[in-house]
Amino acid sequence: MILLEKFRLEQAQNLLKDAAKSKTNEERLKNPKEGFINVDQFENIINKLFEAEEFIYTSRPHHKLDQTNAEIFVDKIIEARNGMDKILSDFGVIEKQAVEIDLNKYYNDLLILTTKTSLKKTIAKFGVDPQRIIVAGVPLDPEDMKILNPKIPETALDPINKKIIHVKNDINRKMEQFGLKDIIVIVENDKPGQILGKRAKELYNTRLVIKDNLKDISIEEFITIVS
């Protein structure tokens, strides 16, 4: 298990190195130009570093992280790094360079299931085939709808159940159409996301990734998630 966790962490680090390769394979720091500090961005960087710092104390005395905590820790560092890049770019110190990545090798066998249309739009811009992304506007079981809305009338469950059947059929069809082996659920840490993730894990033995915020997910974060 220790060797597996070490391999996973090294794999994530290597993927990030691949993602950082630019067309020039070189990043030269320029003299800063005048500009305005994005205070919200700066505060977010500090907060992410503080959150990452907590792992220094919680992992004592050996500072070893299991796979789950390693992913959380690395996510904090990545978010802080992305924020730093944005600020440095604002002041002309670095240039935002196009990233050369063949995403197919990272999500080749995966169907992506989420509750967020915004995530589909974002990762489609990265080059992910939109046909391989399903946005579930309903949970995967009518009973779960009662958890989301305890006051929902029974008469409303029938049309919802039809939508659920449609989503499940869509999952099965795309798994067969693209010859996919696994499903990954990527959701935010809210009730619809938690319920969808839990039910999908029961039905399809999916891998579940819950993030506090999917709005500004970077291509590096996406690669780490699906790898």
Side-chain angles (χ1 to χ4, degrees):
M1 180 62 70
I2 294 175
L3 290 175
L4 178 59
E5 291 174 358
K6 183 179 179 181
F7 172 76
R8 290 277 300 172
L9 191 53
E10 289 177 349
Q11 184 184 47
Q13 291 169 340
N14 290 333
L15 292 173
L16 290 174
K17 290 178 182 177
D18 288 341
K21 290 179 181 176
S22 68
K23 289 183 178 179
T24 63
N25 280 328
E26 183 180 4
E27 183 176 68
R28 294 182 178 178
L29 301 181
K30 301 179 181 179
N31 291 328
K33 63 182 182 180
E34 65 178 32
F36 296 93
I37 299 174
N38 186 330
V39 177
D40 291 337
Q41 187 73 63
F42 188 82
E43 289 179 350
N44 185 60
I45 293 169
I46 299 299
N47 289 335
K48 293 305 174 185
L49 291 176
F50 278 142
E51 291 172 11
E53 185 185 28
E54 287 298 315
F55 288 87
I56 301 294
Y57 309 113
T58 58
S59 62
R60 287 175 175 171
H62 302 297
H63 302 302
K64 181 183 183 300
L65 302 178
D66 59 25
Q67 180 181 332
T68 300
N69 284 311
E71 290 177 355
I72 297 172
F73 175 73
V74 170
D75 280 346
K76 305 297 182 186
I77 299 298
I78 290 173
E79 290 182 52
R81 189 191 72 174
N82 290 339
M84 292 178 191
D85 284 347
K86 289 178 183 177
I87 289 180
L88 291 175
S89 177
D90 289 342
F91 283 92
V93 177
I94 64 173
E95 294 182 0
K96 190 68 175 177
Q97 297 175 324
V99 178
E100 296 180 344
I101 301 176
D102 180 10
L103 283 178
N104 289 319
K105 65 181 179 181
Y106 298 115
Y107 76 100
N108 189 46
D109 296 325
L110 288 174
L111 179 71
I112 299 169
L113 183 63
T114 185
T115 57
K116 300 293 182 181
T117 302
S118 59
L119 176 68
K120 179 175 181 176
K121 291 180 179 178
T122 298
I123 61 179
K125 290 179 181 178
F126 295 159
V128 177
D129 183 356
Q131 293 296 315
R132 299 264 295 274
I133 310 165
I134 293 179
V135 179
V138 290
L140 295 176
D141 189 294
E143 292 301 312
D144 291 341
M145 198 66 207
K146 295 180 181 178
I147 301 175
L148 289 172
N149 182 8
K151 296 182 179 180
I152 190 170
E154 290 292 328
T155 52
L157 291 179
D158 185 52
I160 289 175
N161 189 47
K162 291 180 180 177
K163 292 181 180 179
I164 292 172
I165 293 172
H166 175 75
V167 171
K168 288 182 175 179
N169 288 340
D170 206 19
I171 290 172
N172 294 333
R173 178 177 60 81
K174 292 190 175 186
M175 292 292 286
E176 182 177 353
Q177 177 183 352
F178 296 104
L180 306 178
K181 297 179 181 178
D182 297 300
I183 301 172
I184 184 169
V185 179
I186 307 175
V187 292
E188 285 190 350
N189 193 18
D190 53 23
K191 186 171 285 187
Q194 292 170 353
I195 289 175
L196 178 73
K198 180 180 178 181
R199 187 66 69 179
K201 197 171 183 64
E202 292 175 359
L203 294 173
Y204 304 105
N205 192 29
T206 62
R207 195 168 125 222
L208 174 61
V209 176
I210 299 178
K211 305 280 290 184
D212 289 334
N213 181 14
L214 291 173
K215 182 180 178 182
D216 299 317
I217 189 170
S218 68
I219 192 168
E220 293 91 346
E221 289 175 280
F222 176 72
I223 291 172
T224 303
I225 287 172
V226 299
S227 302

